[in-house]
């Protein structure tokens, strides 16, 4: 951390992608209230995640970061949280079982409420309104009222994050994530599919292994790792008033932590090394991420590493490559080399979603499952070429049976996209596509 950093030092820098708040005084009052609320996570938990990511940086583990593009205030229910957790646990089991590599699980959940946009306004039939920026800021309906940034939404975001995190903690520490329940994570509509059946085989083998361990005298009760999982939360740190309000000084270490989530990341549009977002996250002790798109130069990425990981700490910084399937082969290797040569022990993860988005003829934003696979494969090839560890994947998914991304085993076609297109922002993999992806990534990891 630099000597000039404070939780408010970002305010002297340019912050891109900020809402045009109509009432600054109201925003300040809301932020002040949140500043008095309990933290959502503890500093010690973020340090545990940092240690886990350190193992990823050393090539001893793999990061699975996954969840919604944008969480919704409307689609907020125990079932939705449970089903998202189920598919992430399934993916982790597939990855671990097939590759024997430990998997660090981080959700895009319990705080992923604000979105950068390519344009500040949206125009329909000649009427221009502020773009939808996520439920932390405004609503998606196309009316002046809905699109007006509303600071009260920060309070709802805090409350929904707290409730979501509470349920996640109960699920992951209270029996739901027990390996003995590995079959129960398979949802009905998945079980009948090819990916679902493949998963059932893995689950059968895990059952057998657990029975064998029991017969050999290993008492499962004495091994918490069989009954619980560490599941961490993350979101893009975009609206800095909210993040600042939840930034607290740790009584044990004296360091500052952004207690809105375990891990925070900087988006592709806000990663200016001199900008407000980089300044803010440079000073918090949480593990942090930064998206890296195809326009990033080696010098820029090394400058970001110097700002965000001056101590060269394994696991402190995760660089999330989102190049697009056609650019990954040429754009990524020079960056992998430059960061390695600069001595930063970062985690390299692959976001195969954001560089492969296009608008289908019917006007819906989509991604093709084959493009997603192609970018992941290109990411593994680039790391193999340079001799770096392909540390993880970062994906947008849902536990539901939606039709937002094309392809996959069920061959979702352009004309199917409208059947169940529910995302508020980017198209997500459905549960079957997500499981399929996990099997493919496991094969790449084994190779
Ligand atoms: C996102 O992760 O939802 C996102 C907006 O990504 P990026 O910053 O990489 O475009
Ligand atoms: Co997105």
């Amino acid at each position: 951390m630099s000597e000039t950093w404070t939780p408010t030092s970002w305010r002297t820098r340019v912050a891109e992608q900020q809402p045009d708040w109509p009432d600054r005084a109201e925003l300040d009052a809301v932020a002040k209230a949140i500043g008095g609320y309990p933290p959502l996570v503890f500093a010690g938990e973020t340090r545990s995640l940092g240690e886990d990511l350190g193992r990823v940086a050393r090539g001893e583990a793999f990061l699975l970061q996954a969840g919604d593009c944008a969480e919704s205030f409307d689609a907020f229910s125990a079932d939705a949280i449970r089903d998202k957790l189920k598919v992430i646990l399934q993916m982790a089991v597939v990855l671990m079982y097939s590759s024997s590599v430990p998997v660090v699980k981080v959700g895009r959940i319990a705080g992923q409420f604000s979105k950068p946009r390519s344009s500040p306004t949206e125009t329909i039939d000649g009427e221009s309104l502020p773009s939808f920026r996520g439920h932390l800021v405004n609503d998606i309906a196309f009316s002046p009222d809905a699109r007006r940034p509303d600071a009260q939404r920060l309070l709802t975001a805090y409350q929904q994050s707290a409730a979501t995190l509470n349920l996640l903690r109960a699920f992951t520490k209270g029996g739901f994530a027990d390996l003995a329940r590995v079959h129960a994570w398979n949802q009905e509509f998945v079980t009948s599919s090819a990916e679902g059946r493949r998963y059932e085989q893995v689950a059968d083998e895990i059952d057998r292994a657990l029975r064998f361990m029991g017969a050999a005298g290993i008492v499962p009760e004495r091994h918490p790792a069989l009954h619980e999982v560490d599941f961490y939360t993350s979101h893009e740190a975009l609206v800095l008033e909210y993040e600042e309000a939840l930034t607290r000084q740790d009584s044990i270490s004296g360091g500052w932590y952004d207690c809105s989530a375990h891990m925070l990341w900087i988006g592709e549009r806000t990663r200016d090394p001199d900008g407000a977002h980089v300044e803010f996250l440079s000073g918090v002790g949480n593990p942090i991420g930064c998206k890296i798109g195809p326009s990033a130069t080696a010098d820029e990425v090394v400058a970001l590493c110097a700002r965000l990981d001056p101590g060269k700490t394994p696991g402190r910084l995760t660089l999330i490559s989102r190049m697009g399937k056609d650019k990954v082969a040429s754009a990524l290797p020079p960056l992998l080399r430059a960061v390695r040569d600069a001595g930063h022990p970062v985690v390299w993860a692959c976001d195969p979603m954001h560089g492969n988005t296009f608008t289908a003829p019917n006007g819906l934003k989509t991604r093709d499952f084959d493009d997603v696979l192609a970018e992941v494969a290109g990411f593994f090839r680039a790391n193999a070429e340079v001799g770096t560890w392909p540390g993880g994947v970062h994906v947008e998914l849902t536990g539901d049976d939606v039709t937002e991304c094309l392809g996959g085993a069920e061959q979702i076609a352009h004309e199917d996209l409208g059947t169940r297109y529910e995302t508020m922002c980017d198209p997500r993999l459905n549960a079957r596509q997500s499981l399929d992806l996990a099997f493919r990534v496991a094969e790449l990891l084994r190779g």
Side-chain angles (χ1 to χ4, degrees):
M1 197 212 301
S2 80
E3 272 162 27
T4 56
W5 188 91
T6 70
T8 60
S9 58
W10 64 270
R11 290 175 180 266
T12 63
R13 313 274 184 132
V14 176
E16 300 291 346
Q17 294 285 340
Q18 298 306 291
D20 196 2
W21 299 104
D23 186 346
R24 278 263 147 204
E26 186 187 16
L27 177 66
D28 291 344
V30 167
K32 186 158 181 255
I34 293 173
Y37 292 173
L40 294 172
V41 304
F42 293 119
E45 297 174 320
T46 79
R47 283 195 291 269
S48 300
L49 173 59
E51 283 160 25
D52 288 354
L53 290 171
R55 284 187 270 281
V56 179
R58 286 191 289 271
E60 299 159 6
F62 191 76
L63 167 65
L64 172 62
Q65 190 171 14
D68 259 315
C69 178
E71 285 176 273
S72 163
F73 287 178
D74 305 323
F76 174 43
S77 72
D79 287 0
I81 297 164
R82 181 200 60 205
D83 292 345
K84 234 171 288 174
L85 179 64
K86 272 185 178 176
V87 70
I88 295 173
L89 291 176
Q90 284 188 288
M91 291 177 79
V93 153
V94 165
L95 284 164
M96 262 191 310
Y97 191 81
S98 317
S99 68
S100 306
V101 175
V103 174
V104 180
K105 295 164 276 294
V106 181
R108 285 177 64 116
I109 198 166
Q112 176 51 21
F113 291 113
S114 54
K115 300 308 299 174
R117 301 314 303 256
S118 48
S119 167
T121 55
E122 182 179 356
T123 304
I124 298 179
D125 297 334
E127 186 183 12
S128 289
L129 292 175
S131 292
F132 172 59
R133 287 187 179 274
H135 271 167
L136 186 119
V137 175
N138 56 6
D139 199 6
I140 197 163
F142 194 77
S143 74
D145 210 34
R147 291 293 173 91
R148 188 177 316 110
D150 175 3
Q152 298 302 322
R153 287 176 167 271
L154 271 61
L155 298 169
T156 312
Y158 172 87
Q159 285 151 5
Q160 185 166 323
S161 298
T164 302
L165 196 49
N166 182 52
L167 195 62
L168 288 170
R169 290 186 195 282
F171 276 144
T172 53
K173 302 292 177 190
F176 183 82
D178 195 316
L179 266 186
R181 289 180 47 94
V182 67
H183 284 282
W185 305 336
N186 217 1
Q187 299 191 68
E188 240 163 78
F189 70 91
V190 181
T191 312
S192 56
S193 69
E195 310 83 72
R197 285 193 298 274
R198 207 170 159 193
Y199 175 80
E200 285 295 317
Q201 277 173 14
V202 170
D204 284 342
E205 287 169 32
I206 291 171
D207 270 351
R208 244 196 322 276
L210 289 174
R211 283 199 301 274
F212 168 75
M213 281 159 51
I218 296 168
V219 185
E221 285 68 35
R222 295 206 198 118
H223 297 272
L226 298 173
H227 309 295
E228 310 179 343
V229 299
D230 290 329
F231 185 85
Y232 298 102
T233 60
S234 71
H235 61 260
E236 178 171 350
L238 186 65
V239 174
L240 294 176
E241 288 84 357
Y242 180 79
E243 304 301 335
E244 180 194 311
L246 282 161
T247 296
R248 311 290 163 84
Q249 196 163 20
D250 175 34
S251 57
I252 297 171
S253 65
W256 291 91
Y257 289 82
D258 182 346
C259 297
S260 70
H262 299 109
M263 178 179 182
L264 288 312
W265 78 84
I266 302 168
E268 167 69 359
R269 296 169 186 82
T270 48
R271 61 172 164 75
D272 176 357
D274 296 318
H277 293 84
V278 171
E279 169 65 14
F280 177 72
L281 285 186
S282 74
V284 298
N286 311 57
I288 57 189
C290 185
K291 295 290 196 86
I292 303 290
S295 68
T297 65
D299 286 349
E300 276 168 16
V301 178
V302 170
L304 276 168
C305 290
R307 285 283 280 131
L308 297 170
D309 176 39
K312 301 188 173 170
T313 310
R316 155 71 176 166
L317 178 59
T318 297
L319 295 177
I320 306 160
S321 161
R322 34 89 84 221
M323 301 295 176
K325 69 172 167 64
D326 295 327
K327 296 190 177 144
V328 62
S330 59
L332 185 56
L335 307 183
L336 298 175
R337 281 193 194 95
V339 171
R340 179 197 57 196
D341 294 348
H344 289 282
V346 303
V347 170
W348 276 103
C350 173
D351 165 357
M353 317 295 293
H354 288 88
N356 297 309
T357 317
F358 61 95
T359 304
N362 57 7
L364 292 172
K365 244 204 289 183
T366 189
R367 292 155 173 162
D368 192 316
F369 187 66
D370 286 337
D371 296 347
V372 170
L373 292 181
E375 179 157 358
V376 175
F379 172 80
F380 272 78
R381 270 195 301 275
N383 279 279
E385 183 186 318
V386 178
T388 41
W389 173 243
V393 289
H394 178 121
V395 291
E396 290 180 343
L397 57 72
T398 165
D400 297 332
D401 196 11
V402 300
T403 57
E404 298 171 5
C405 291
L406 299 166
E410 68 223 277
Q411 303 204 336
I412 294 174
H414 282 281
E415 55 275 19
D416 304 325
L417 286 178
T419 314
R420 254 194 95 174
Y421 193 95
E422 297 174 3
T423 183
M424 288 198 307
C425 196
D426 290 338
R428 304 158 297 175
L429 300 175
N430 64 29
R432 288 181 55 184
Q433 291 166 327
S434 302
L435 202 49
D436 197 355
L437 177 69
F439 280 110
R440 312 287 186 119
V441 174
E443 277 157 26
L444 290 165
L445 262 178
R446 266 204 311 270

